[in-house]
């Protein structure tokens, strides 16, 4: 092969590599373990960004109280970070009005790890991913998909939005920011490949997958069939312990002993939809159609998760154990 031809072929391969990400790996981060017993405590909240309205400020206040009691290490946001249509850009005052000026309790001055929700995709996605927001508020970290390792736990954050076909075929009057997502099929294929490979190689004691949309839910939106068909088989094959999501504005726990537990924490602000879809009561451990949030306390042998309402009352608690799995 002549040098010029070889160079052209090599350049074309490199362009394909960087554009499609077909050989890329998910971005990987580490959160330091700071407690002497190596345990981890976190809060999970979703569907929150309403400038303090719809009880967002009240939920934030209770998060601060519980965060102090648990000495949390960080906060996970499961998407729909800014309503109704994401951020307009890096200078959108909604960032401060819905985040920095709301979650002010000292215990919440920890790292926040966020994924995107469908409402975020209706705005400027690149703005939410921008380092400029991190310069404004050091706590903020948002990516489409990434892996977070902390001690004995690995969190696999997944961008579930491109899986939902109706956002492409029936967008109604909404405009979605699909930059760096199209072509959709390739994006999803690469993401599933990278996720499957990463979970398979993981040696973490606990494996949690975090996304915005529900896989098992009795909430108004119902199950996301595309995730049932494409993501759920990966969770089952690799025995993922928890799938954590938002989207439905409720607090919910669905699970069967010895299988993946499905935890919804989408009560960060507007809730009380009044719609509960039929679900097997043997699986549906909690359905609360109201505002609140969730905590996780993780040790090497057990994960405790607790749901709180807008007043800080405990609604439900359960645990997983590596010895006997679900209690």
């Amino acid at each position: 092969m002549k040098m010029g031809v070889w160079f052209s072929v090599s350049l074309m391969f490199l362009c394909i590599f960087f554009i499609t990400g077909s050989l890329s790996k998910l971005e990987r981060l580490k959160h330091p373990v700071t407690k002497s017993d190596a345990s981890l405590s976190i809060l999970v909240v979703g569907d929150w960004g309403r400038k303090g309205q719809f009880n967002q400020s009240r939920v934030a206040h209770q998060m601060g109280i519980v965060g102090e009691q648990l000495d949390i290490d960080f906060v996970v946001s499961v998407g729909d970070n800014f309503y109704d249509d994401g951020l307009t850009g890096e200078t959108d005052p909604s960032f401060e009005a819905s985040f920095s000026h709301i979650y002010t309790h000292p215990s919440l001055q920890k790292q926040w790890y966020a994924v995107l929700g469908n409402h975020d995709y209706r705005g400027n996605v690149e703005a939410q991913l921008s380092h400029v927001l991190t310069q404004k508020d050091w706590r903020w970290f948002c990516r489409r998909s990434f892996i977070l390792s902390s001690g004995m736990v690995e969190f696999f954050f997944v961008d579930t939005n491109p899986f939902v076909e109706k956002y492409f075929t029936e967008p109604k009057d909404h405009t979605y920011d699909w930059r760096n997502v199209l072509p959709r099929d390739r994006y999803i294929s690469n993401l599933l490949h990278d996720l499957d490979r990463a979970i398979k190689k993981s040696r973490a004691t606990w494996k949690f997958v975090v996304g915005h949309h529900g896989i098992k839910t009795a909430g108004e939106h119902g199950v996301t069939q595309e995730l049932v068909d494409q993501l759920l088989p990966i969770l089952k094959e690799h025995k993922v312990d928890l799938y954590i999501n938002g989207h439905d504005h409720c607090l919910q726990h669905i699970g069967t002993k010895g299988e993946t537990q499905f935890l919804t924490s989408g009560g960060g602000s507007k809730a009380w939809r009044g719609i509960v879809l039929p679900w097997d009561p043997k699986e549906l451990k909690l359905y609360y159609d109201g505002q609140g949030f969730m905590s996780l306390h993780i040790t090497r042998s057990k994960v405790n998760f607790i749901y709180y309402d807008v007043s800080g009352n405990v609604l439900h608690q359960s645990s997983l154990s590596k010895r006997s799995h679900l209690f």
Side-chain angles (χ1 to χ4, degrees), residues 42-50 56 63 72 74-83 95 98-99 103 108 110-118 120 128-129 139-146 148 155-161 209-213 243-247 263-269 292-294 296:
I42 69 172
L43 299 181
V44 181
V45 66
D47 306 82
W48 42 268
R50 297 183 184 273
Q56 183 194 358
M63 287 175 62
I72 60 167
F74 55 85
V75 179
V76 168
S77 171
V78 290
D80 278 1
N81 307 313
F82 303 98
Y83 283 97
F95 178 71
S98 290
F99 178 61
Y103 301 100
L108 302 180
K110 303 289 178 70
Q111 188 72 59
W112 284 57
Y113 297 103
V115 289
L116 298 165
N118 52 300
D120 300 312
Q128 282 204 49
L129 308 180
R139 298 175 293 172
W140 185 253
F141 182 90
C142 182
R143 294 291 185 272
R144 287 188 170 88
S145 301
F146 60 99
L148 175 65
F155 297 81
F156 301 87
F157 290 77
V158 178
D159 181 10
T160 58
N161 296 278
V209 173
V210 179
H212 179 64
H213 295 81
Y243 178 75
I244 305 170
N245 64 276
H247 196 45
L263 310 180
T264 300
S265 184
S269 58
F293 59 99
M294 180 179 70
L296 296 175

Side-chain angles (χ1 to χ4, degrees), residues 167-178:
Y167 296 159
F168 295 84
T169 60
E170 302 174 41
K172 299 181 180 179
D173 58 345
H174 304 303
T175 300
Y176 292 88
D177 182 4
W178 296 125

Side-chain angles (χ1 to χ4, degrees), residues 1-34:
M1 183 181 292
K2 294 183 179 180
M3 182 62 69
V5 175
W6 179 88
F7 177 79
S8 298
V9 172
S10 300
L11 182 61
M12 179 178 67
F13 174 79
L14 288 173
C15 290
I16 293 173
F17 173 84
F18 285 111
I19 293 174
T20 68
S22 59
L23 298 180
S24 66
K25 295 181 180 180
L26 294 171
E27 181 178 0
R28 184 180 291 272
L29 299 91
K30 285 190 176 182
H31 190 97
V33 176
T34 59

Side-chain angles (χ1 to χ4, degrees), residues 166-281:
K166 69 180 181 181
Y167 296 159
F168 295 84
T169 60
E170 302 174 41
K172 299 181 180 179
D173 58 345
H174 304 303
T175 300
Y176 292 88
D177 182 4
W178 296 125
R179 288 176 294 170
N180 297 314
V181 170
L182 301 177
R184 173 180 173 240
D185 289 345
R186 183 178 294 164
Y187 181 92
I188 292 173
S189 176
N190 291 341
L191 175 55
L192 289 172
H193 174 268
D194 291 345
L195 178 67
D196 180 65
R197 182 174 58 181
I199 299 178
K200 182 178 181 179
K201 293 175 65 176
S202 174
R203 296 295 177 264
T205 302
W206 298 101
K207 302 177 184 65
F208 305 156
V209 173
V210 179
H212 179 64
H213 295 81
I215 294 179
K216 291 189 176 185
T217 173
E220 177 186 15
H221 293 104
V223 301
T224 308
Q225 192 59 46
E226 296 91 339
L227 297 181
V228 174
D229 295 338
Q230 299 178 76
L231 182 56
L232 183 57
I234 294 176
L235 306 187
K236 288 183 175 180
E237 179 181 355
H238 300 302
K239 295 180 171 55
V240 169
D241 300 291
L242 302 178
Y243 178 75
I244 305 170
N245 64 276
H247 196 45
D248 280 317
H249 297 183
C250 65
L251 304 174
Q252 184 176 206
H253 173 202
I254 291 178
T256 300
K257 183 176 180 179
E259 298 181 4
T260 302
Q261 303 298 298
F262 297 86
L263 310 180
T264 300
S265 184
S269 58
K270 190 176 183 180
W272 302 112
R273 295 298 180 95
I275 298 175
V276 184
L277 302 178
W279 202 273
D280 184 351

